[in-house]
Amino acid sequence: MKIAVLGLGVIGTTYAYVLQKAGHETFHIVREGRNVPSSIRVHLLDGRYNPKGEEKDDDYKVMTASEYEEYDFILISVASGKLEEAMKTLRDRKLKGTVIFFCNFWNERKYVEKIAGDFKYITAFPTAGGHMEEEGNLNCVLFDHIMLESREKAKINNYDELISLLNSADIKQEIPYDMFEWIWIHMAINAGVTSTAAREGRIDDPNRLARELMADSKALTRAVRCIRETLKTVSARGVDMKKYRNEILPYKIPAGLAGIAMKKLFAGNELTSRIMTLHNDVKDIVYGCRCVYDEGKKHDLKLPLFYRNMDRVFAAIKD
């Protein structure tokens, strides 16, 4: 198949790499005048075939998209607040194809539908992460599945082709009750974890904060208590949390036991621990926390741990 990826970001490039390896054509939509490398060196911890992950080093051939092109799918993974700009780029370049949104959404579905306009789209969520190193190399982690909107709610006419595309790259699919609600839950959980890691008010070194949090069962216990608070923001939006029992079950058990279990998980699972340390986009991290913070204030929720942590972070950012 013919796949376009907006930009040369971590998520899009990681999936473009594995799709290209599976025999598909991948093209990147980049700004005119940008210096685009002919190839990118990739270091991948690949979790598709081994639960412990397999370390791989390879070169990814970069090809750029042209105007007026038509693609089977266009993958968009953009940071906070850039979705409208992303869709404008597709329209300005007169590109066609079914859009896959690989983004954090704190928005309602109707907002995304408005931005998508005439483009057919489906929402999904990557289970991958990493960062671009100073030398331009990609250091990334890939799990064996993605989260994907159901056929009924996506309403695209090439759903089977998308499943075939993912299967060809050995990427499984997990289908939540509602993709938007699942993303809200994911963002709320991340906000609880992030705010606990940055509880002293510093967030400029996410790698160090993640490593320290994963090694401290007491801090992880505080994170569980904070997550219980942040999940209230999702409930306040009218989400039936009973439909997401599996997602929230780890935070229902006694916090102390959950903290110990999480420490063991991180110590024994390189895929999970490494993805925690590789995400270093501070603006994107703070955006997710801000969305949850504002939602809590909007509904006048009592979230003392979370608010205290984030108030320190916001104060430090202003300094």
Side-chain angles (χ1 to χ4, degrees):
M1 297 187 194
K2 193 174 179 181
I3 313 301
V5 177
L6 184 66
L8 275 166
V10 170
I11 297 299
T13 305
T14 299
Y15 283 97
Y17 164 72
V18 297
L19 291 173
Q20 189 180 93
K21 296 293 288 186
H24 303 283
E25 296 181 276
T26 60
F27 301 85
H28 291 265
I29 305 164
V30 296
R31 295 188 301 272
E32 290 185 12
R34 177 176 176 177
N35 185 22
V36 179
S38 60
S39 66
I40 292 175
R41 189 65 179 168
V42 176
H43 180 79
L44 172 68
L45 180 60
D46 190 347
R48 290 175 295 170
Y49 312 108
N50 186 329
K52 294 183 178 180
E54 300 172 348
E55 305 279 5
K56 298 179 179 178
D57 288 286
D58 201 358
D59 289 311
Y60 168 60
K61 182 180 179 182
V62 180
M63 295 183 288
T64 56
S66 303
E67 292 185 348
Y68 299 96
E69 288 287 329
E70 184 168 357
Y71 299 91
D72 294 290
F73 296 97
I74 303 173
L75 196 158
I76 294 180
S77 178
V78 293
S80 56
K82 295 186 177 179
L83 190 56
E84 291 188 46
E85 180 184 346
M87 295 307 299
K88 182 177 184 301
T89 297
L90 300 192
R91 294 186 177 95
D92 289 346
R93 299 282 290 271
K94 296 179 173 58
L95 303 176
K96 295 181 179 180
T98 298
V99 173
I100 305 172
F101 287 127
F102 251 6
C103 309
N104 272 328
F105 289 129
W106 197 251
N107 312 98
E108 301 284 347
R109 187 182 295 271
K110 60 184 179 182
Y111 168 80
V112 177
E113 288 177 348
K114 180 180 179 180
I115 290 176
D118 294 336
F119 279 91
K120 297 294 183 181
Y121 77 92
I122 183 170
T123 54
F125 199 83
T127 52
H131 65 260
M132 288 288 185
E133 298 175 342
E134 292 183 4
E135 301 82 4
N137 301 330
L138 173 60
N139 187 354
C140 55
V141 176
L142 179 71
F143 284 74
D144 66 350
H145 68 283
I146 66 165
M147 305 302 298
L148 186 67
E149 186 80 278
S150 68
R151 183 190 303 271
E152 294 73 23
K153 292 189 177 182
K155 298 178 181 178
I156 59 174
N157 58 13
N158 54 347
Y159 195 91
D160 287 336
E161 286 82 354
L162 177 56
I163 299 301
S164 176
L165 173 71
L166 296 169
N167 288 342
S168 72
D170 298 314
I171 299 172
K172 301 171 187 175
Q173 308 92 45
E174 292 188 16
I175 313 295
Y177 175 76
D178 182 273
M179 197 66 243
F180 279 75
E181 293 178 353
W182 185 93
I183 292 173
W184 299 343
I185 290 171
H186 174 80
M187 290 179 67
I189 291 171
N190 275 0
V193 171
T194 298
S195 69
T196 304
R199 60 191 179 278
E200 301 301 326
R202 303 297 301 177
I203 200 170
D204 54 329
D205 189 354
N207 181 296
R208 177 183 59 80
L209 293 175
R211 284 187 280 106
E212 290 176 353
L213 178 66
M214 290 188 292
D216 186 345
S217 59
K218 290 184 178 179
L220 289 168
T221 296
R222 287 193 289 268
V224 170
R225 294 188 177 119
C226 196
I227 289 168
R228 290 174 181 172
E229 291 184 355
T230 56
L231 285 172
K232 293 178 183 178
T233 65
V234 183
S235 296
R237 306 186 93 181
V239 175
D240 183 357
M241 301 299 279
K242 294 179 181 178
K243 292 182 169 64
Y244 302 94
R245 287 188 177 92
N246 291 340
E247 286 81 358
I248 64 177
L249 181 60
Y251 315 108
K252 291 290 188 179
I253 64 176
L257 293 177
I260 294 171
M262 289 174 71
K263 182 180 177 181
K264 289 182 178 179
L265 170 66
F266 290 130
N269 191 314
E270 181 63 19
L271 283 163
T272 303
S273 61
R274 195 178 301 185
I275 202 169
M276 286 279 289
T277 60
L278 285 178
H279 188 194
N280 60 3
D281 187 335
V282 174
K283 287 184 178 180
D284 194 47
I285 293 170
V286 172
Y287 166 76
C289 292
R290 171 62 78 179
C291 288
V292 176
Y293 184 97
D294 290 345
E295 193 74 22
K297 293 292 186 179
K298 173 183 175 182
H299 294 280
D300 197 26
L301 300 177
K302 290 180 171 53
L303 316 177
L305 289 175
F306 179 62
Y307 289 152
R308 183 167 63 248
N309 292 340
M310 291 312 304
D311 284 340
R312 290 172 180 168
V313 171
F314 295 147
I317 290 174
K318 290 180 181 179
D319 290 345

